[in-house]
Amino acid sequence: MRVLGIIPARGGSKGIPGKNIKTLGGKPLLYHTIDAAKESRLLSQVILSSDDAEIIDLAKSVGLEVPFVRPAHLATDQSGSLEVVQHALNFFVEKGEVFDAVCLLQPTTPFRESGSIDKAIQKFAENSFDSLISVREVPAEFNPHWVFEADEKACLQIATGENEIIKRRQDLPKAYFRDGSIYLTKTDVLLKQHSLYGKRIGYIVSKGERFVNLDTPEDWIKAEKMLNENKK
């Protein structure tokens, strides 16, 4: 299976200005994801997709391939990951290069367990999934069977539609949320179905204690605290 690794890193971040090149743990945020990608033995090729000259130069300085400059219309706050991935795939299609799947690696989730990328690719290759994502287990208190939604009469209803709430934590079915560190999708699903997921979504469970999705200054402080605690 030929898998294209794509690291998306646009300039112009508003929540954390310059976050992709901002130093975290002694190195630019971008490097955490580049290092994880370089560790993989199952990624056929890894590239950067960026519109920003400084980010591009930083990536090239450590040997990451940057085959194109991302168009400005795909580097706004409203730009979606699907369109960014499709742009990269179409670039290679025009060159006659074909990949079976794409592995999207977002720099904003910098703490990946060693070997997690190859673990995900191996599981993906061995099954008939349309996509595979990394997830974490939802704590019991936030399990959808214990979550309520307000109806049109301002009354609370169990979010899952059940009439009776599950009483014991031990009886709750496991629920998961995307942690953002790994997205694997078949090329046909991306280009023909125009979806990052398709219908059959596989998953791997991330179990490392360190987890953060960097979006706000508070998230950054949390990440720095995690790194400092790890050093101790």
Side-chain angles (χ1 to χ4, degrees):
M1 173 176 278
R2 296 199 73 223
V3 181
L4 174 65
I6 301 177
I7 300 176
R10 71 178 181 90
S13 171
K14 293 179 180 178
I16 306 173
K19 67 181 174 184
N20 283 307
I21 58 176
K22 184 178 173 69
T23 299
L24 177 68
K27 58 185 179 182
L29 173 65
L30 182 64
Y31 284 8
H32 290 270
T33 295
I34 292 176
D35 288 346
K38 286 183 174 181
E39 183 190 59
S40 169
R41 294 182 295 177
L42 297 181
L43 288 172
S44 305
Q45 188 173 348
V46 183
I47 66 165
L48 176 82
S49 172
S50 181
D51 64 310
D52 186 273
E54 190 172 0
I55 294 175
I56 289 172
D57 288 343
L58 198 65
K60 286 182 175 179
S61 72
V62 291
L64 185 63
E65 183 181 351
V66 188
F68 54 77
V69 177
R70 193 196 303 181
H73 72 277
L74 293 178
T76 68
D77 290 339
Q78 290 74 40
S79 301
S81 296
L82 175 62
E83 292 75 21
V84 170
V85 171
Q86 288 175 326
H87 170 263
L89 275 175
N90 286 324
F91 171 87
F92 286 103
V93 168
E94 291 176 5
K95 293 177 61 180
E97 295 186 45
V98 178
F99 293 92
D100 300 297
V102 165
C103 182
L104 186 67
L105 301 168
Q106 300 181 130
T108 46
T109 310
F111 305 140
R112 295 175 179 85
E113 298 167 80
S114 178
S116 61
I117 295 174
D118 282 356
K119 177 183 175 183
I121 294 173
Q122 186 171 352
K123 184 174 181 179
F124 185 67
E126 292 173 351
N127 293 274
S128 57
F129 300 132
D130 291 331
S131 63
L132 182 145
I133 61 176
S134 56
V135 299
R136 288 176 178 268
E137 190 170 341
V138 175
E141 60 266 33
F142 301 124
N143 189 288
H145 293 271
W146 279 4
V147 171
F148 293 88
E149 295 176 347
D151 63 17
E152 65 279 0
K153 297 180 180 179
C155 293
L156 292 179
Q157 305 286 341
I158 302 172
T160 52
E162 296 155 309
N163 293 321
E164 296 291 333
I165 198 164
I166 295 174
K167 295 179 180 179
R168 300 195 323 144
R169 175 182 56 80
Q170 295 88 339
D171 295 332
L172 288 170
K174 289 185 177 181
Y176 302 95
F177 68 93
R178 298 170 298 165
D179 70 3
S181 64
I182 299 173
Y183 290 86
L184 271 162
T185 313
K186 288 181 177 177
T187 297
D188 282 352
V189 172
L190 291 161
L191 295 182
K192 295 180 181 179
Q193 297 183 27
H194 302 285
S195 173
L196 270 177
Y197 304 100
K199 295 181 179 179
R200 288 181 51 81
I201 307 172
Y203 66 96
I204 60 167
V205 181
S206 301
K207 295 182 179 179
E209 292 183 3
R210 294 187 304 177
F211 166 67
V212 66
N213 197 324
L214 295 166
D215 187 48
T216 67
E218 290 74 24
D219 295 331
W220 195 276
I221 293 170
K222 179 181 176 181
E224 289 181 328
K225 183 179 180 181
M226 288 177 180
L227 288 173
N228 289 333
E229 289 176 348
N230 189 56
K231 289 179 182 179
K232 295 177 182 179

